[in-house]
Amino acid sequence: MATKTDDFAPFPVKDQLPGVEFCVSSSPNWPEGILQGFQHYIVMLGTTVIIPSILVPLMGGGDVEKAEVINTVLFVSGINTLLQSLFGTRLPVVIGASYAYVIPALYITYSYRFTYYLHPHLRFEETMRAIQGALIIASICHMIMGFFGLWRILVRFLTPLSAAPLVILTGVGLVAFAFPQLARCVEVGLPALIILIILSQYLPHLFKCKRSICEQFAVLFTVAIVWAYAEVLTAAGAYDKRPDSTQLSCRTDRSGLISASPWVKIPYPLQWGRPSFHGSDTFAMMAATYVAIVETTGTFIAASRFGSATHIPPSVLSRGIGWQGVGVLLDGLFGTATGSTALVENAGLLGLTKVGSRRVVQISAAFMIFFSIFGKFGAVLASIPLPIFAALYCVLFAYVASAGLGLLQFCNLNSFRTKFILGFSIFIGLSVAQYFTEYLFVSGRGPVHTRTSAFNVIMQVIFSSAATVGIMAAFLLDCTHSYGHDSVRRDSGRHWWEKFRVYHTDTRTDEFYALPYNLNRFFPSF
């Protein structure tokens, strides 16, 4: 006699996320893998274009300099993604430009010492060299945190309860780049959001197929359809009499990248000249590296879940942070005007497609390097209207936030201690970051304005990051609130992650995180 299923039984806790089509160590066939890799490349283009579009004009550069910086960012991102997937965490994460470095870069850009350069291109080069110098010095601290195990010591105390706000805020903290940017051109952005949801969530269930093409390549279909629609609107003159800001967001011929990009050019180190070094610039950039480390940690945890891997051991996480520091060093040497981080949107794409394959991300890195060298071809794709990317972010950032919510399965949600730490850390993270950001936009300076401008920038960088504020609150509370009580260890879910604190404790760890070519013999993980 069959046992009747109890509809009211709780769902079992899963160390590895079920339902994933391809995990970290498995791969789709080559044609599908190439399309998936191209999809990852398309998704990372938004951030790659947005950050240079903000910084380069303020530095004194024009369309030519902007195109060169974008190609440099793409080239270095491809190298960094390969390094991270081969020797870092080995997770399917894309390493790209980070918003955490924008404020320090602006601080350097507006420095008085550059006001004496009257020629815009000369001012651009001198500003770029100063940013390069600050990135190079900051990367040393970054690598020390990772390779010397300092970050490993800290993350060993992470529990599912303190990690949940980190991952949630890593996704939700980027909300300003989602719908607010979509709203700059609603007639393009909103159809993209609706089409993406229909293709990825409704059509697969409507046709009741196990692996739907619409679900797997929803981003490619959405971008192709809405981009063609935007081309029609542009050609029909729908924006001819609209304000310049609307035309810049909606039209497909206003990026200036296609005409400014060279046909073939390989970015190379020190292409802008010898870096310059200034103490205040370096300290401001170090604050950005700390924020990037925190946010990257949240993305790594989300990627490990969507890749159906076991929880990432602290030693592997620290190793990945060390290689991210190498990436920041390359940013400084090549001159990308910003540092590197694990891109949140690409981690969300893992959840959308249910393809967490490492090989797919490595293929996307090949696309980055190819299109950075053959600039004209890359510029065509980089001219996609930014509201289309913002529509993608509305879904992809939400997936990353959901990965953080998934960590709560390990916690006791009936505990008032759990409720307080979870609710307070998320709320204070969003609230403090919102206050610092709004204060900056309204008054033109941060709420901390001492006589030391570098200190002001450091505070602004740290407290403008919702994930950084949230994890500081959650980590402190989780380590001190009701310390010593017998129930705390189980309520916070610490016992679930205990077996992953040391690399070799769980037999599944090698499957996902072991270095290639048997390099673990020479670089053991502790």
Side-chain angles (χ1 to χ4, degrees):
M1 183 176 178
T3 303
K4 184 178 179 180
T5 303
D6 186 356
D7 292 336
F8 299 100
F11 291 103
V13 175
K14 299 288 186 180
D15 282 335
Q16 297 174 256
L17 184 66
V20 174
E21 298 290 345
F22 295 97
C23 69
V24 173
S25 54
S26 62
S27 305
N29 58 55
W30 279 103
E32 182 181 345
I34 291 172
L35 287 176
Q36 290 284 359
F38 184 68
Q39 192 166 232
H40 272 278
Y41 167 72
I42 291 293
V43 167
M44 66 87 61
L45 271 180
T47 301
T48 303
V49 173
I50 290 172
I51 293 179
S53 297
I54 294 172
L55 295 177
V56 171
L58 299 176
M59 295 165 62
D63 286 342
V64 173
E65 288 82 4
K66 182 172 71 172
E68 290 180 349
V69 172
I70 289 174
N71 288 335
T72 303
V73 172
L74 273 178
F75 186 80
V76 176
S77 296
I79 295 175
N80 288 338
T81 300
L82 286 175
L83 290 175
Q84 187 64 239
S85 64
L86 288 172
F87 308 114
T89 60
R90 307 218 69 208
L91 288 170
V93 293
V94 172
I95 306 298
S98 171
Y99 291 106
Y101 294 87
V102 171
I103 293 177
L106 291 176
Y107 167 70
I108 297 172
T109 299
Y110 287 125
S111 177
Y112 285 116
R113 65 182 183 271
F114 299 120
T115 58
Y116 300 105
Y117 296 99
L118 300 180
H119 195 281
H121 182 73
L122 183 60
R123 182 162 64 88
F124 167 78
E125 287 188 337
E126 292 297 327
T127 306
M128 178 64 81
R129 292 170 188 170
I131 295 175
Q132 286 182 260
L135 285 171
I136 290 172
I137 300 300
S139 70
I140 297 174
C141 297
H142 203 131
M143 287 185 283
I144 290 174
M145 287 286 290
F147 290 134
F148 283 79
L150 300 180
W151 194 244
R152 177 183 65 207
I153 296 172
L154 290 174
V155 297
R156 285 171 76 96
F157 295 98
L158 271 184
T159 66
L161 177 57
S162 56
L166 168 62
V167 181
I168 292 170
L169 292 173
T170 298
V172 176
L174 296 173
V175 65
F177 300 100
F179 196 84
Q181 302 304 316
L182 179 156
R184 291 177 177 268
C185 187
V186 176
E187 57 267 40
V188 170
L190 194 57
L193 177 59
I194 294 172
I195 291 172
L196 178 61
I197 292 174
I198 291 174
L199 290 178
S200 64
Q201 306 301 322
Y202 286 90
L203 285 187
H205 297 283
L206 183 64
F207 292 114
K208 297 181 179 179
C209 49
K210 185 177 179 182
R211 296 196 66 224
S212 169
I213 293 178
C214 292
E215 183 181 24
Q216 294 293 308
F217 305 109
V219 168
L220 288 182
F221 288 135
T222 299
V223 171
I225 293 169
V226 182
W227 191 15
Y229 166 65
E231 288 279 5
V232 171
L233 292 179
T234 301
Y239 305 111
D240 289 347
K241 297 182 180 180
R242 303 288 291 274
D244 289 340
S245 59
T246 302
Q247 293 194 36
L248 185 63
S249 298
C250 299
R251 294 182 68 98
T252 58
D253 56 359
R254 283 300 181 92
S255 67
L257 296 177
I258 298 177
S259 59
S261 297
W263 280 102
V264 180
K265 183 179 180 181
I266 301 177
Y268 55 92
L270 307 183
Q271 58 186 335
W272 312 110
R274 187 176 63 182
S276 59
F277 302 92
H278 300 270
S280 60
D281 300 347
T282 300
F283 286 116
M285 204 62 78
M286 285 180 180
T289 61
Y290 167 67
V291 171
I293 288 173
V294 169
E295 294 177 347
T296 296
T297 300
T299 306
F300 282 161
I301 295 174
S304 67
R305 291 295 294 172
F306 288 136
S308 194
T310 56
H311 177 61
I312 180 170
S315 59
V316 175
L317 187 50
S318 190
R319 188 176 72 196
I321 293 301
W323 279 102
Q324 185 191 358
V326 174
V328 176
L329 176 62
L330 293 178
D331 290 325
L333 291 175
F334 279 82
T336 61
T338 183
S340 292
T341 190
L343 295 183
V344 178
E345 53 267 37
N346 289 87
L349 184 59
L350 302 176
L352 180 69
T353 60
K354 301 184 182 69
V355 177
S357 170
R358 181 189 301 127
R359 180 190 291 175
V360 165
V361 168
Q362 292 170 341
I363 292 172
S364 75
F367 278 113
M368 297 174 212
I369 295 173
F370 175 84
F371 284 112
S372 67
I373 296 174
F374 299 94
K376 287 289 186 187
F377 300 103
V380 173
L381 295 171
S383 63
I384 297 172
L386 294 180
I388 296 179
F389 290 109
L392 303 181
Y393 296 161
C394 290
V395 174
L396 301 180
F397 292 164
Y399 263 105
V400 172
S402 72
L405 292 172
L407 298 178
L408 297 178
Q409 66 180 308
F410 304 109
C411 307
N412 178 13
L413 293 179
N414 292 318
S415 165
F416 280 94
R417 176 185 181 273
T418 300
K419 294 178 186 296
F420 168 70
I421 294 176
L422 178 65
F424 178 77
S425 56
I426 293 176
F427 178 83
I428 202 68
L430 291 172
S431 183
V432 171
Q434 180 74 7
Y435 169 72
F436 271 77
T437 303
E438 284 188 357
Y439 198 107
L440 179 64
F441 279 108
V442 171
S443 64
R445 63 179 185 180
V448 180
H449 36 269
T450 65
R451 293 182 179 181
T452 307
S453 58
F455 178 78
N456 302 340
V457 175
I458 290 172
M459 293 295 101
Q460 184 67 36
V461 170
I462 292 175
F463 291 101
S464 293
S465 168
T468 305
V469 177
I471 188 56
M472 287 193 297
F475 189 85
L476 178 63
L477 291 171
D478 192 32
C479 291
T480 58
H481 189 328
S482 304
Y483 180 78
H485 286 208
D486 295 336
S487 62
V488 167
R489 178 174 173 273
R490 296 184 63 84
D491 288 349
S492 62
R494 187 184 301 275
H495 60 298
W496 283 103
W497 282 4
E498 194 72 34
K499 57 188 172 185
F500 303 115
R501 289 185 64 186
V502 179
Y503 182 86
H504 291 294
T505 304
D506 191 276
T507 57
R508 296 168 292 178
T509 302
D510 269 339
E511 178 186 354
F512 305 111
Y513 303 111
L515 291 172
Y517 315 117
N518 207 18
L519 289 176
N520 278 50
R521 294 182 304 167
F522 307 103
F523 304 99
S525 297
F526 299 100

